[in-house]
Amino acid sequence: MLSNYIDLEKGILENYTENVIRRASDMLNFYQDNEALEKMIKNGNPTIYEVYAVTHEGGGELSYAITILHPGKVGNEYFMTKGHYHEKRDRGELYIGLKGNGLLLMQKGEEIRWIEMERGKIVYVPPYFAHRSINTGNGNFVFLAIYPGDAGHDYGSIAEKGFAKIVIEENGNYAVKDNPRW
Ligand code: PAN
Ligand code: ZN
């Protein structure tokens, strides 16, 4: 497929070839406040984020995906994606903000960066950096990601330890804090 459409208002990608819906129950142990997460699971198990992708898996090819990250918090921690390294660590990625507000958290060894995302902003995720998105706004945070077809997703080490920083709400704003489990 050589061309496609995104509905920029709703963040809906046409003709996607893969999609993933992550609910609260898919995020066990990702947040500090497990009790708050369990309560949320019992109270309807809301969707945290949705991904719609067009994939081309060969080396040298490019895949792309829209993520719709819903607004909300688990305890005082904002809704976020699981986060991953690329299986092939030397594969970079481009993120383009389409709607809403968020942060892109990136980490390579002890080096950690976070960049605010908004409509029209392009962020480069260099090779070797794990990356996670966080919705710090009140509405959906929607972005487009473009990545090498053979990058792959490695969730293992992030699922175990998380990132060195967490993003919480403090006095109505976001605050980036040290992860106590790190
Ligand atoms: C993105 C992410 C997407 C969902 O398309 O895969 O935002 O985040 P998780 O994969 O961490 O659950 C990307 O970075 N692709 O490489
Ligand atoms: Zn990625």
Side-chain angles (χ1 to χ4, degrees):
M1 186 182 20
L2 295 179
S3 66
N4 199 8
Y5 281 96
I6 300 167
D7 179 330
L8 291 171
E9 279 319 301
K10 300 194 183 95
I12 292 172
L13 180 66
E14 289 182 10
N15 301 306
Y16 58 85
T17 56
E18 284 176 29
N19 79 308
V20 185
I21 309 276
R22 302 254 197 241
R23 292 179 174 276
S25 56
D26 298 309
M27 302 296 289
L28 284 171
N29 298 317
F30 278 83
Y31 292 92
Q32 305 295 311
D33 192 341
N34 256 320
E35 236 171 75
L37 186 71
E38 270 161 27
K39 217 183 241 174
M40 194 174 270
I41 294 168
K42 282 192 196 119
N43 283 332
N45 196 18
T47 296
I48 310 288
Y49 62 102
E50 307 165 49
V51 184
Y52 299 90
V54 174
T55 58
H56 306 100
E57 277 166 17
E61 296 200 282
L62 294 171
S63 294
Y64 56 92
I66 287 279
T67 302
I68 303 171
L69 184 47
H70 292 241
K73 281 175 286 169
V74 176
N76 62 0
E77 217 177 339
Y78 291 106
F79 280 8
M80 62 189 181
T81 59
K82 288 188 168 188
H84 59 270
Y85 286 94
H86 289 153
E87 232 163 69
K88 286 198 163 71
R89 292 286 195 275
D90 64 353
R91 299 310 197 247
E93 185 159 3
L94 284 177
Y95 271 55
I96 300 158
L98 299 181
K99 197 182 175 105
N101 292 87
L103 283 187
L104 180 53
L105 188 60
M106 298 188 265
Q107 178 167 315
K108 176 181 145 192
E110 293 303 306
E111 187 183 348
I112 183 141
R113 308 270 186 90
W114 54 94
I115 297 184
E116 285 187 355
M117 290 287 292
E118 61 185 339
R119 181 177 173 82
K121 189 160 177 181
I122 303 165
V123 181
Y124 175 47
V125 180
Y128 301 102
F129 277 83
H131 40 286
R132 162 181 285 166
S133 309
I134 298 115
N135 187 346
T136 54
N138 299 318
N140 284 347
F141 168 38
V142 183
F143 57 88
L144 171 68
I146 305 169
Y147 51 99
D150 64 353
H153 295 88
D154 174 3
Y155 293 98
S157 63
I158 300 296
E160 231 169 74
K161 258 181 95 179
F163 285 72
K165 301 281 182 186
I166 58 169
V167 185
I168 63 166
E169 196 243 13
E170 206 175 63
N171 308 318
N173 286 315
Y174 79 79
V176 180
K177 302 277 180 181
D178 287 340
N179 178 359
R181 291 193 211 154
W182 181 256

PDB file of all heavy atoms in Angstrom, residues 25-37:
ATOM      1  N   SER A  25      -5.852  -3.854  32.734  1.00  0.00           N
ATOM      2  CA  SER A  25      -5.392  -5.197  33.124  1.00  0.00           C
ATOM      3  C   SER A  25      -4.147  -5.658  32.360  1.00  0.00           C
ATOM      4  O   SER A  25      -3.503  -6.619  32.759  1.00  0.00           O
ATOM      5  CB  SER A  25      -6.518  -6.218  32.914  1.00  0.00           C
ATOM      6  OG  SER A  25      -6.963  -6.167  31.585  1.00  0.00           O
ATOM      7  N   ASP A  26      -3.816  -4.962  31.276  1.00  0.00           N
ATOM      8  CA  ASP A  26      -2.584  -5.292  30.543  1.00  0.00           C
ATOM      9  C   ASP A  26      -1.377  -4.561  31.121  1.00  0.00           C
ATOM     10  O   ASP A  26      -0.260  -4.741  30.642  1.00  0.00           O
ATOM     11  CB  ASP A  26      -2.721  -4.891  29.061  1.00  0.00           C
ATOM     12  CG  ASP A  26      -3.841  -5.650  28.384  1.00  0.00           C
ATOM     13  OD1 ASP A  26      -3.846  -6.893  28.500  1.00  0.00           O
ATOM     14  OD2 ASP A  26      -4.714  -5.018  27.762  1.00  0.00           O
ATOM     15  N   MET A  27      -1.609  -3.710  32.124  1.00  0.00           N
ATOM     16  CA  MET A  27      -0.551  -2.832  32.636  1.00  0.00           C
ATOM     17  C   MET A  27      -0.156  -3.180  34.073  1.00  0.00           C
ATOM     18  O   MET A  27       0.413  -2.337  34.779  1.00  0.00           O
ATOM     19  CB  MET A  27      -1.021  -1.366  32.568  1.00  0.00           C
ATOM     20  CG  MET A  27      -1.402  -0.882  31.178  1.00  0.00           C
ATOM     21  SD  MET A  27      -0.051  -0.854  29.983  1.00  0.00           S
ATOM     22  CE  MET A  27       0.935   0.506  30.599  1.00  0.00           C
ATOM     23  N   LEU A  28      -0.440  -4.421  34.488  1.00  0.00           N
ATOM     24  CA  LEU A  28      -0.097  -4.819  35.865  1.00  0.00           C
ATOM     25  C   LEU A  28       1.393  -4.630  36.118  1.00  0.00           C
ATOM     26  O   LEU A  28       2.222  -5.008  35.285  1.00  0.00           O
ATOM     27  CB  LEU A  28      -0.485  -6.289  36.101  1.00  0.00           C
ATOM     28  CG  LEU A  28      -1.976  -6.550  36.299  1.00  0.00           C
ATOM     29  CD1 LEU A  28      -2.257  -8.056  36.309  1.00  0.00           C
ATOM     30  CD2 LEU A  28      -2.490  -5.908  37.585  1.00  0.00           C
ATOM     31  N   ASN A  29       1.707  -4.030  37.259  1.00  0.00           N
ATOM     32  CA  ASN A  29       3.103  -3.775  37.688  1.00  0.00           C
ATOM     33  C   ASN A  29       3.817  -2.644  36.955  1.00  0.00           C
ATOM     34  O   ASN A  29       4.977  -2.376  37.237  1.00  0.00           O
ATOM     35  CB  ASN A  29       3.960  -5.041  37.599  1.00  0.00           C
ATOM     36  CG  ASN A  29       3.427  -6.114  38.512  1.00  0.00           C
ATOM     37  OD1 ASN A  29       3.057  -5.824  39.649  1.00  0.00           O
ATOM     38  ND2 ASN A  29       3.333  -7.340  38.008  1.00  0.00           N
ATOM     39  N   PHE A  30       3.124  -1.991  36.022  1.00  0.00           N
ATOM     40  CA  PHE A  30       3.777  -0.876  35.334  1.00  0.00           C
ATOM     41  C   PHE A  30       3.683   0.423  36.135  1.00  0.00           C
ATOM     42  O   PHE A  30       4.490   1.319  35.958  1.00  0.00           O
ATOM     43  CB  PHE A  30       3.194  -0.673  33.940  1.00  0.00           C
ATOM     44  CG  PHE A  30       3.787  -1.610  32.922  1.00  0.00           C
ATOM     45  CD1 PHE A  30       3.315  -2.912  32.778  1.00  0.00           C
ATOM     46  CD2 PHE A  30       4.850  -1.199  32.125  1.00  0.00           C
ATOM     47  CE1 PHE A  30       3.881  -3.779  31.861  1.00  0.00           C
ATOM     48  CE2 PHE A  30       5.418  -2.058  31.199  1.00  0.00           C
ATOM     49  CZ  PHE A  30       4.930  -3.359  31.070  1.00  0.00           C
ATOM     50  N   TYR A  31       2.667   0.517  36.996  1.00  0.00           N
ATOM     51  CA  TYR A  31       2.475   1.742  37.782  1.00  0.00           C
ATOM     52  C   TYR A  31       2.890   1.505  39.228  1.00  0.00           C
ATOM     53  O   TYR A  31       2.905   0.366  39.708  1.00  0.00           O
ATOM     54  CB  TYR A  31       1.001   2.166  37.730  1.00  0.00           C
ATOM     55  CG  TYR A  31       0.566   2.619  36.363  1.00  0.00           C
ATOM     56  CD1 TYR A  31      -0.001   1.722  35.457  1.00  0.00           C
ATOM     57  CD2 TYR A  31       0.730   3.938  35.968  1.00  0.00           C
ATOM     58  CE1 TYR A  31      -0.379   2.131  34.187  1.00  0.00           C
ATOM     59  CE2 TYR A  31       0.346   4.359  34.697  1.00  0.00           C
ATOM     60  CZ  TYR A  31      -0.205   3.450  33.817  1.00  0.00           C
ATOM     61  OH  TYR A  31      -0.572   3.862  32.562  1.00  0.00           O
ATOM     62  N   GLN A  32       3.197   2.593  39.916  1.00  0.00           N
ATOM     63  CA  GLN A  32       3.606   2.485  41.321  1.00  0.00           C
ATOM     64  C   GLN A  32       2.451   1.970  42.187  1.00  0.00           C
ATOM     65  O   GLN A  32       2.652   1.176  43.080  1.00  0.00           O
ATOM     66  CB  GLN A  32       4.036   3.868  41.861  1.00  0.00           C
ATOM     67  CG  GLN A  32       5.117   4.544  41.047  1.00  0.00           C
ATOM     68  CD  GLN A  32       6.424   3.779  41.083  1.00  0.00           C
ATOM     69  OE1 GLN A  32       6.885   3.399  42.150  1.00  0.00           O
ATOM     70  NE2 GLN A  32       6.999   3.535  39.932  1.00  0.00           N
ATOM     71  N   ASP A  33       1.246   2.497  41.901  1.00  0.00           N
ATOM     72  CA  ASP A  33       0.109   2.236  42.785  1.00  0.00           C
ATOM     73  C   ASP A  33      -0.729   1.068  42.250  1.00  0.00           C
ATOM     74  O   ASP A  33      -1.733   1.264  41.567  1.00  0.00           O
ATOM     75  CB  ASP A  33      -0.734   3.528  42.877  1.00  0.00           C
ATOM     76  CG  ASP A  33      -1.760   3.448  43.991  1.00  0.00           C
ATOM     77  OD1 ASP A  33      -2.068   2.329  44.446  1.00  0.00           O
ATOM     78  OD2 ASP A  33      -2.260   4.518  44.388  1.00  0.00           O
ATOM     79  N   ASN A  34      -0.302  -0.151  42.616  1.00  0.00           N
ATOM     80  CA  ASN A  34      -0.998  -1.347  42.126  1.00  0.00           C
ATOM     81  C   ASN A  34      -2.433  -1.442  42.623  1.00  0.00           C
ATOM     82  O   ASN A  34      -3.307  -1.950  41.932  1.00  0.00           O
ATOM     83  CB  ASN A  34      -0.231  -2.602  42.533  1.00  0.00           C
ATOM     84  CG  ASN A  34       0.524  -3.187  41.350  1.00  0.00           C
ATOM     85  OD1 ASN A  34      -0.003  -3.216  40.235  1.00  0.00           O
ATOM     86  ND2 ASN A  34       1.745  -3.623  41.576  1.00  0.00           N
ATOM     87  N   GLU A  35      -2.655  -0.928  43.853  1.00  0.00           N
ATOM     88  CA  GLU A  35      -4.008  -0.972  44.420  1.00  0.00           C
ATOM     89  C   GLU A  35      -4.966  -0.141  43.571  1.00  0.00           C
ATOM     90  O   GLU A  35      -6.080  -0.578  43.264  1.00  0.00           O
ATOM     91  CB  GLU A  35      -3.983  -0.381  45.829  1.00  0.00           C
ATOM     92  CG  GLU A  35      -4.519  -1.329  46.879  1.00  0.00           C
ATOM     93  CD  GLU A  35      -4.256  -0.769  48.267  1.00  0.00           C
ATOM     94  OE1 GLU A  35      -4.970   0.179  48.657  1.00  0.00           O
ATOM     95  OE2 GLU A  35      -3.323  -1.270  48.917  1.00  0.00           O
ATOM     96  N   ALA A  36      -4.506   1.060  43.200  1.00  0.00           N
ATOM     97  CA  ALA A  36      -5.334   1.941  42.355  1.00  0.00           C
ATOM     98  C   ALA A  36      -5.612   1.270  41.014  1.00  0.00           C
ATOM     99  O   ALA A  36      -6.721   1.346  40.480  1.00  0.00           O
ATOM    100  CB  ALA A  36      -4.639   3.276  42.140  1.00  0.00           C
ATOM    101  N   LEU A  37      -4.612   0.570  40.474  1.00  0.00           N
ATOM    102  CA  LEU A  37      -4.787  -0.111  39.181  1.00  0.00           C
ATOM    103  C   LEU A  37      -5.812  -1.241  39.320  1.00  0.00           C
ATOM    104  O   LEU A  37      -6.694  -1.399  38.465  1.00  0.00           O
ATOM    105  CB  LEU A  37      -3.451  -0.662  38.681  1.00  0.00           C
ATOM    106  CG  LEU A  37      -3.508  -1.269  37.281  1.00  0.00           C
ATOM    107  CD1 LEU A  37      -3.691  -0.192  36.212  1.00  0.00           C
ATOM    108  CD2 LEU A  37      -2.240  -2.063  36.956  1.00  0.00           C
TER     109      LEU A  37
END
